[in-house]
Amino acid sequence: MRIVVCGAGIGGLALAHALSRHAEVVVLERDATAADTGGYRISINDDACRALATLLPAALLHEIRAVSDTGTAFEQFTIADPRLRPIVVAAEPPGQDRILAHRQVLRVLLARDIAATIRFGSTVRTVAQDRHGAAVTLTDGSQIDGDLVVAADGADSAVVASLLGRSPTRDLGITGIAGWAPLGDAEPPGYLRRGPALAFGPDGTAVFLSLHHPPHPSAAHPTIAGLLGEPALIWGTITRSSRLTLPRNAPAAALVPQAAALLDRWSPWLRERVSGSEAPRTAAFRFRAADPDAPIAGWTPGTVTALGDAIHAMPPTGGRGASTAICDAADLARALDDHRRGAPLAEVLARYQRRLGPRARSAVRESLGPLRVINALRHRPAQLLARPLIDAAGACGAWRYADQR
């Protein structure tokens, strides 16, 4: 069986590893190399960790863990105020497996051992299917044929748009600016040493915060160690797109001042970190999402299917995107194992597409939750009401969680 995977993201690469055991796999990726990727911190939850164990060779998964933050790096999640005082500290359930991975490093490792299957610099334009298979047309006019095509090409999937005649996602009117900041000598809030945080301001700005603790260089190949860098604060501002003046393809140097301007009344420690961030490692991105109340992969199964953001995109505010894509990949790999044993392809794909719906809807809805707070604070009266409430909640939290400040 020849399977064409469109997109070398985390879900597509994990799937390619599993399928390569029994099928001819071709991965099409528009980036020039695996290291050419945005993103900063990927949270892989307990379900996705179990799924990775079925998709990847054990040695590769062990290597991924060795260069990622695990264990106490995600014992809890904190909601904070603009002064970074903890309002709510939610402990993770005991016994949960969790990997906090450096996105660029994770992608390089996933691509390394299956490099021969990946065609970098290949941008998908359209896909057509019939009962015999599917054909992918690239922007250079060339065509790749396969028995099955898997859309793993992200939130504005060209593959899924070919099937549906439209994009499966919508722009949410929210923009994130994210970057890396040297930690310096100032001590970060103590709760960040036990897990990420999301801080909300009364004007509808939010900031995601996470500490990056690279392993000792001896734990990684020199190339990987170079990508991991030094200890840092990974931050991401989130606000309504209308509050920013960002032209298309805005230079990285213009992003740090915009992010810093959003934090004018915030914690001095945070403002200093953001203002001192490295411009080349700063990026802006519009948030997109699928409609959780609409059908997920609702087309009649044929010779094209999909996984991850290609069919159920979600904003990063829930930390569920990569984990959901990995779980999709594991389910699809199992379905194709059933096909290899004799079950009809349309039957196993229909079962797979039904199975991913409930998980995807739950993840999308959870991820949209923080954005409802941001949108609720778009009007001045709501901001005036929110300011004393958030300040009071921060003062109360600072007393309740004094040991984590």
Side-chain angles (χ1 to χ4, degrees), residues 19-101:
L19 297 185
S20 295
R21 301 166 192 160
H22 304 293
E24 178 191 355
V25 179
V26 178
V27 181
L28 304 176
E29 171 54 46
R30 64 184 177 184
D31 289 340
T33 71
D36 295 338
T37 181
Y40 301 88
R41 172 57 60 91
I42 290 209
S43 174
I44 303 174
N45 64 21
D46 190 70
D47 289 340
C49 286
R50 287 196 298 271
L52 279 180
T54 71
L55 293 164
L56 304 181
L60 176 57
L61 182 53
H62 176 78
E63 187 175 2
I64 289 169
R65 289 182 180 277
V67 296
S68 301
D69 290 327
T70 58
T72 59
F74 203 145
E75 292 183 329
Q76 62 187 32
F77 189 86
T78 301
I79 302 296
D81 76 349
R83 292 166 62 182
L84 301 190
R85 298 176 298 184
I87 296 174
V88 175
V89 177
E92 286 286 290
Q96 294 285 300
D97 194 4
R98 178 80 72 161
I99 298 172
L100 292 180

Side-chain angles (χ1 to χ4, degrees), residues 325-345:
I326 290 167
C327 291
D328 291 351
D331 283 348
L332 181 53
R334 281 191 291 269
L336 293 175
D337 275 345
D338 290 341
H339 173 59
R340 186 170 57 87
R341 296 185 184 101
L345 181 61

Side-chain angles (χ1 to χ4, degrees), residues 12 55 63 80 84 86-87 113 129 153 177 209 222 224 227 254 258 273 307 330 341 349 371 375 391:
L55 293 164
E63 187 175 2
L84 301 190
I87 296 174
D113 298 338
Q129 64 175 335
D153 51 341
I177 302 176
L209 302 167
I224 297 300
L227 294 175
Q258 291 245 3
R273 302 282 84 69
L307 62 78
R341 296 185 184 101
L349 292 182
L371 303 189
N375 284 321
D391 187 64

Side-chain angles (χ1 to χ4, degrees), residues 44-394:
I44 303 174
N45 64 21
D46 190 70
D47 289 340
C49 286
R50 287 196 298 271
L52 279 180
T54 71
L55 293 164
L56 304 181
L60 176 57
L61 182 53
H62 176 78
E63 187 175 2
I64 289 169
R65 289 182 180 277
V67 296
S68 301
D69 290 327
T70 58
T72 59
F74 203 145
E75 292 183 329
Q76 62 187 32
F77 189 86
T78 301
I79 302 296
D81 76 349
R83 292 166 62 182
L84 301 190
R85 298 176 298 184
I87 296 174
V88 175
V89 177
E92 286 286 290
Q96 294 285 300
D97 194 4
R98 178 80 72 161
I99 298 172
L100 292 180
H102 182 300
R103 178 183 173 85
Q104 188 182 35
V105 168
L106 178 60
R107 193 182 189 212
V108 167
L109 288 175
L110 288 174
R112 182 191 60 197
D113 298 338
I114 56 170
T117 71
I118 306 173
R119 302 187 186 183
F120 287 107
S122 300
T123 302
V124 175
R125 185 167 62 198
T126 60
V127 175
Q129 64 175 335
D130 59 32
R131 61 189 181 90
H132 300 294
V136 179
T137 301
L138 305 180
T139 53
D140 64 6
S142 61
Q143 183 172 297
I144 313 293
D145 297 323
D147 300 297
L148 173 68
V149 168
V150 180
D153 51 341
D156 208 8
S157 170
V159 178
V160 176
S162 292
L163 291 179
L164 301 180
R166 57 176 174 79
S167 172
T169 67
R170 62 187 176 90
D171 189 313
L172 299 175
I174 302 288
T175 294
I177 302 176
W180 291 71
L183 281 177
D185 296 329
E187 187 71 13
Y191 53 78
L192 287 179
R193 300 195 182 281
R194 298 178 60 189
L198 185 63
F200 286 96
D203 62 351
T205 295
V207 182
F208 172 81
L209 302 167
S210 182
L211 295 183
H212 168 59
H213 298 289
H216 190 276
S218 63
H221 185 277
T223 301
I224 297 300
L227 294 175
L228 286 168
E230 300 297 324
L233 172 72
I234 301 174
W235 58 267
T237 61
I238 307 166
T239 195
R240 297 181 302 281
S241 303
S242 58
R243 296 190 62 201
L244 301 170
T245 54
L246 290 176
R248 186 178 294 275
N249 299 321
L255 301 180
V256 170
Q258 291 245 3
L262 293 172
L263 307 177
D264 182 51
R265 296 188 176 185
W266 284 61
S267 152
W269 177 85
L270 178 60
R271 292 201 311 270
E272 185 178 347
R273 302 282 84 69
V274 171
S275 297
S277 295
E278 306 167 28
R281 303 187 77 176
T282 307
F285 42 93
R286 305 274 295 214
F287 286 9
R288 301 184 66 86
D291 181 354
D293 297 317
I296 302 290
W299 62 83
T300 300
T303 53
V304 178
T305 191
L307 62 78
D309 277 356
I311 195 56
H312 49 65
M314 62 195 76
T317 37
R320 296 279 300 274
S323 291
T324 308
I326 290 167
C327 291
D328 291 351
D331 283 348
L332 181 53
R334 281 191 291 269
L336 293 175
D337 275 345
D338 290 341
H339 173 59
R340 186 170 57 87
R341 296 185 184 101
L345 181 61
E347 178 183 306
V348 301
L349 292 182
R351 188 163 60 243
Y352 159 71
Q353 291 178 195
R354 288 194 301 269
R355 181 178 174 85
L356 67 81
R359 176 175 60 234
R361 290 189 179 90
S362 172
V364 173
R365 289 190 178 107
E366 180 180 330
S367 301
L368 290 172
L371 303 189
R372 296 190 183 96
V373 177
I374 292 171
N375 284 321
L377 294 173
R378 66 185 180 276
H379 300 301
R380 184 65 176 168
Q383 295 171 11
L384 293 173
L385 179 63
R387 189 175 298 280
L389 293 177
I390 291 176
D391 187 64

